[in-house]
Amino acid sequence: MDKIDKAKGSLLAGAIGDALGFEIELDSLEKIYQKYGEDGIQNYRLYDKEAIISDDTQLTLYTAEALIYNDDEINLLRDIHSHYLDWLKTQLKVLMPNNNFENPNISKIQHIEGINDIREPGMTCIYSLMNRKIGSMEKPLNDSKGCGGLMKNAPVGIYYGARSDKNILDIAEISAQIAAMTHGHPLAYIPVYCMTDIIVRIFREDRDLEEMIIDAIEDTDMRFCKSKYIDYFTDLSKKAIRLAKKTDNKDIDNIINLGQGWVAEETLAIAIYSSIKYKNDIIKAIKTAVNHGGDSDSTGAVTGNILGVYLGEKSIPKEFIEPLENRYLIEEIAEKLII
């Protein structure tokens, strides 16, 4: 499988999980069952023949764009932050129309319909960016462990994973720093470190998915061994692996056992569970990841990001790619991350 197929697979499958989950993001499990039956949502609800994305995919594309056009890695965090400020401006036009927020205007995608629409943006991202300061692990802006730092970082693993000049741990560190810009709790950026480690390993290694995920968890455990939260994170991640191998439980019962995905460690745990359980069926994995009554678009997006690298674009049925909002833009950006 070539690198472009992996990159397209990750961004497209992430957007598919986002679009499928976005339709039920705020619904309880009971409401999902009432609307779609006991199997939950299985297909897109189309708007003008399109499956629309949420802020998860919007910010993923802004992250990717910043990586593509950055020519000075010393200023990478500043450039990514500036791209996020461009995204913020598009949101404030509706959320706070009287706000005098100046726009850096460095993004090439901010004027594209669907990329600049209001799609249930995470308020931690909104308020952190309005602060204008760049948060860090050492100087956090807040104590949020929401998944807003996780759902937008797949391009980091793709961009650097495709290049052999960077160590996997250094790449994961960059990704964690990006997450910490907006989300200050250790359990916001620790899972990002792990997810990026997973994606880079999949890009560079030809091994069983579970083995690579276990290695990424071990890397994360070593990096954050002094954090009082690391044992909780590793225990939850390993629990997801154990549950994925159980055959006597329903998926929904296992996912409820892991959480709802509103916080980053639960989002990643649900993605790990779904990816391992259905490692050869990307759509089944995504459907499993979204049908739980929690942060469905984010758990679907992260599952798609991980398994999309593992299985590639060719594994995704066309009926889930063709209606996807801005699919050609997503494919173009995925290619540029590699080339």
Side-chain angles (χ1 to χ4, degrees):
M1 190 191 308
D2 64 33
K3 292 178 180 179
I4 290 178
D5 190 51
K6 290 183 176 184
K8 285 185 176 181
S10 183
L11 292 196
L12 284 169
I16 289 167
D18 177 26
L20 194 66
F22 186 39
E23 187 61 32
I24 57 172
E25 179 188 17
L26 301 178
D27 291 346
S28 66
L29 186 59
E30 290 74 21
K31 188 172 182 181
I32 293 170
Y33 288 167
Q34 287 173 2
K35 290 169 68 174
Y36 302 102
E38 289 190 3
D39 291 331
I41 192 168
Q42 297 294 302
N43 294 292
Y44 297 133
R45 178 183 176 186
L46 301 180
Y47 297 82
D48 293 328
K49 299 182 180 180
E50 285 189 323
I52 65 172
I53 58 170
S54 82
D55 63 315
D56 291 27
T57 300
Q58 289 175 343
L59 282 166
T60 296
L61 297 179
Y62 277 93
T63 303
E65 186 189 40
L67 289 163
I68 291 165
Y69 295 108
N70 173 263
D71 57 6
D72 180 6
E73 194 171 302
I74 294 175
N75 295 311
L76 176 62
L77 295 182
R78 183 203 64 193
D79 285 357
I80 289 176
H81 190 259
S82 294
H83 276 77
Y84 291 164
L85 292 180
D86 277 343
W87 169 81
L88 175 65
K89 182 70 174 181
T90 68
Q91 307 299 294
L92 294 183
K93 286 178 182 178
V94 174
L95 293 175
M96 300 178 187
N98 296 321
N99 190 286
N100 295 320
F101 192 91
E102 294 184 4
N103 188 358
N105 286 321
I106 64 171
S107 169
K108 301 177 187 298
I109 63 173
Q110 62 181 301
H111 302 298
I112 297 174
E113 186 177 352
I115 304 301
N116 60 14
D117 291 344
I118 303 294
R119 302 286 172 81
E120 299 291 344
M123 297 315 293
T124 299
C125 285
I126 294 287
Y127 289 123
S128 294
L129 293 170
M130 286 182 66
N131 188 316
R132 289 188 177 272
K133 294 180 181 178
I134 301 178
S136 67
M137 289 183 268
E138 296 75 24
K139 295 181 179 180
L141 293 180
N142 53 50
D143 196 37
S144 172
K145 61 173 186 170
C147 64
L150 180 73
M151 51 70 167
K152 62 181 184 290
N153 270 32
V156 182
I158 295 168
Y159 180 82
Y160 288 113
R163 291 157 175 79
S164 59
D165 59 339
K166 262 210 185 311
N167 178 280
I168 186 170
L169 302 183
D170 293 335
I171 299 169
E173 188 74 20
I174 291 170
S175 202
Q177 290 173 353
I178 293 169
M181 284 187 201
T182 53
H183 292 69
H185 195 287
L187 283 172
Y189 51 77
I190 288 173
V192 176
Y193 185 101
C194 186
M195 182 189 77
T196 304
D197 193 308
I198 292 169
I199 289 175
V200 176
R201 284 185 180 280
I202 296 172
F203 241 99
R204 294 180 175 179
E205 303 171 13
D206 184 16
R207 292 194 293 141
D208 179 71
L209 179 62
E210 181 182 335
E211 292 177 359
M212 291 186 281
I213 289 174
I214 290 171
D215 286 348
I217 294 169
E218 291 177 354
D219 285 347
T220 308
D221 187 45
M222 285 190 294
R223 165 60 180 88
F224 295 100
C225 61
K226 294 182 180 179
S227 171
K228 64 180 180 180
Y229 300 101
I230 190 61
D231 288 343
Y232 169 70
F233 169 76
T234 55
D235 288 348
L236 184 65
S237 300
K238 291 176 181 178
K239 183 179 182 181
I241 296 172
R242 290 195 306 272
L243 288 173
K245 294 193 254 186
K246 280 184 169 287
T247 58
D248 54 344
N249 290 358
K250 292 182 178 179
D251 286 327
I252 185 57
D253 294 331
N254 289 332
I255 287 178
I256 289 172
N257 208 342
L258 296 171
Q260 291 189 303
W262 298 112
V263 291
E265 74 273 15
E266 293 178 2
T267 304
L268 184 60
I270 292 170
I272 287 173
Y273 171 86
S274 303
S275 297
I276 291 177
K277 184 72 178 284
Y278 300 106
K279 66 179 181 180
N280 295 314
D281 189 339
I282 197 163
I283 297 301
K284 178 64 175 176
I286 288 171
K287 289 178 181 178
T288 300
V290 304
N291 280 297
H292 54 79
D295 195 356
S296 297
D297 56 346
S298 296
T299 52
V302 175
T303 300
N305 289 148
I306 292 172
L307 208 51
V309 178
Y310 187 65
L311 296 176
E313 179 194 15
K314 293 182 177 65
S315 71
I316 306 173
K318 289 183 179 179
E319 60 264 31
F320 281 92
I321 295 178
E322 289 174 354
L324 193 61
E325 183 181 32
N326 282 311
R327 60 164 284 206
Y328 295 111
L329 174 66
I330 295 169
E331 290 176 338
E332 177 187 347
I333 287 177
E335 285 190 24
K336 288 181 177 179
L337 282 170
I338 301 301
I339 297 171

